[in-house]
Amino acid sequence: MADSKRPRSRSVLVIDTGGTFSMEYDSEQVSPGKRGLDVGKDHQEVLKKLKSISEGEYEYFDDKGQEKDRYSKKNFSWTYHALSERIDSSSATPQSWHDIAKVIFENQLSFDAFVVIHGTDTLMYASAGITFLLPKFTKPVIVTGAQIPVLAPGASDAVGNFLGSLAFATWTALLKGRLHSLKGVFVYFNTKLMRGTTVVKVDSQRWDAFDSPRAPIVGELIEGKAEVYDKRGDVSAATKPEVSDRSELRVRPLPLYSEASKRPYPLIIHLFPGIDLKHFALGEHTNSAIILAAYGSGNGPKLDQFWPYLEKYLDNGGLVAVVSECLSGRTSEAYEACIENWDKTDETDSRIATCQYTTLPAAYARAVLFLDEYECKKRTW
């Protein structure tokens, strides 16, 4: 009889969507042009490099050239899948999130875990979108990327991010006599594991490009070993018991956003001193939503060039979600500050939501995917 406490060999599907990680390196510029992301040719070079990285012992270094960690191949296997159209993530749309989620969904019975290679520009939008598209997903999905291409000569953070993602994708631990693994969508970057809905990009060049300022990180890679935190990361909520029965889940359908449906994607508006909403086409978004990045804990101006336009938008059926422009802190107090500063009716009040600890990318993804559902009709997100 097999020992139920002994970790079995785990299988991982690595999904390459493009981005800097997969680009061909040019000493003068890194370009997302056709040559750099040619799926028929260059993704084979990426695959070859990833295979060389994950086989046997491997050393990798930080952005200062100092040895960062050592990696030894663990008890798992992985399969590489390049999307038919890999892109620079600055060109990504919510449909891109759905394409990734669909690949994960269609392969959920064949693999134990998933690693998604994604461009860093919109990685935080994608990780939130995939989280919402795969509700109650019971396997680990680790989204990662790089500031420097994996094919670049010399040091690249792509190496460490790939190996660290594999380490967390295949992480298991005995908890109360049962073998557990991570479940849900996470982002791994520069030794830190964070939840897919809490990450923000905090630096455009440093390798430590992402953080989770509004929520604790879930784990860290320490001396080549994946550590999932008991208190800071709440292991009980982040993990699932390993069971043989893998019930089939679903991919949440993507709402129809098109010219034919006359529904545009939600609009993000950052407040700034002197803002005049007459310059924004709010009338085109009355059947969609506005994500309002407000001051501090969520405050906004009581000005003639602001509130009357927003009030009209609300009267016409629009939805406003208020999120703080700050990296950290909560916006529960913001709701009171914001609403007390704006004249309103009970009807318009019901269509203003405060985002509390929600990041702007997560609020946007939520508005895209849940606009017609109860999730977007709550007073707090």
Side-chain angles (χ1 to χ4, degrees), residues 198-218:
T198 68
V199 294
V200 291
K201 191 173 183 180
V202 296
D203 199 285
S204 62
Q205 294 182 312
R206 289 191 304 115
W207 289 11
D208 193 15
F210 288 87
D211 203 359
S212 178
R214 297 191 184 187
I217 64 173
V218 178

Side-chain angles (χ1 to χ4, degrees), residues 87-331:
I87 60 172
D88 184 316
S89 75
S90 62
S91 299
T93 69
Q95 182 62 53
S96 307
W97 314 338
H98 196 271
D99 293 343
I100 298 168
K102 186 178 179 181
V103 172
I104 295 170
F105 170 75
E106 292 176 345
N107 289 277
Q108 64 176 303
L109 300 181
S110 302
F111 295 91
D112 299 304
F114 302 85
V115 170
V116 177
I117 296 171
H118 197 281
T120 61
D121 285 344
T122 61
L123 183 148
M124 56 281 194
Y125 289 92
S127 63
I130 296 169
T131 300
F132 296 140
L133 283 165
L134 295 172
K136 300 180 181 179
F137 200 67
T138 57
K139 293 182 179 181
V141 177
I142 315 296
V143 184
T144 193
Q147 298 284 65
I148 299 176
V150 71
L151 296 176
S156 167
D157 60 331
V159 175
N161 287 343
F162 178 65
L163 297 178
S165 296
L166 287 177
F168 279 106
T170 57
W171 176 88
T172 57
L174 279 173
L175 299 173
K176 297 182 179 179
R178 301 184 69 183
L179 194 64
H180 283 64
S181 63
L182 291 166
K183 67 175 182 180
V185 181
F186 303 86
V187 169
Y188 177 83
F189 221 91
N190 196 52
T191 75
K192 294 182 295 189
L193 186 71
M194 301 155 281
R195 295 187 184 278
T197 54
T198 68
V199 294
V200 291
K201 191 173 183 180
V202 296
D203 199 285
S204 62
Q205 294 182 312
R206 289 191 304 115
W207 289 11
D208 193 15
F210 288 87
D211 203 359
S212 178
R214 297 191 184 187
I217 64 173
V218 178
E220 288 180 278
L221 193 71
I222 301 175
E223 296 182 354
K225 182 180 179 182
E227 297 286 351
V228 176
Y229 294 126
D230 220 336
K231 296 180 180 178
R232 285 199 295 167
D234 190 3
V235 168
S236 61
T239 63
K240 69 175 183 67
E242 282 291 313
V243 293
S244 58
D245 179 24
R246 302 175 179 179
S247 58
E248 189 167 347
L249 302 174
R250 67 186 179 94
V251 179
R252 179 177 295 279
L254 187 67
L256 182 62
Y257 289 89
S258 67
E259 186 176 345
S261 70
K262 298 186 183 301
R263 168 174 286 181
Y265 286 119
L267 179 67
I268 297 175
I269 299 178
H270 286 260
L271 294 188
F272 56 86
I275 186 171
D276 190 340
L277 288 184
K278 73 180 180 183
H279 299 303
F280 295 84
L282 301 189
E284 298 177 5
H285 288 264
T286 52
N287 63 342
S288 186
I290 291 175
I291 310 300
L292 197 64
Y295 301 130
S297 58
N299 209 351
K302 186 178 180 182
L303 299 172
D304 291 341
Q305 65 267 38
F306 181 80
W307 174 247
Y309 293 97
L310 197 63
E311 184 178 36
K312 183 179 179 180
Y313 169 80
L314 292 165
D315 286 339
N316 289 334
L319 172 72
V320 174
V322 181
V323 62
S324 173
E325 65 177 358
C326 300
L327 281 178
S328 60
R330 55 181 300 184
T331 53

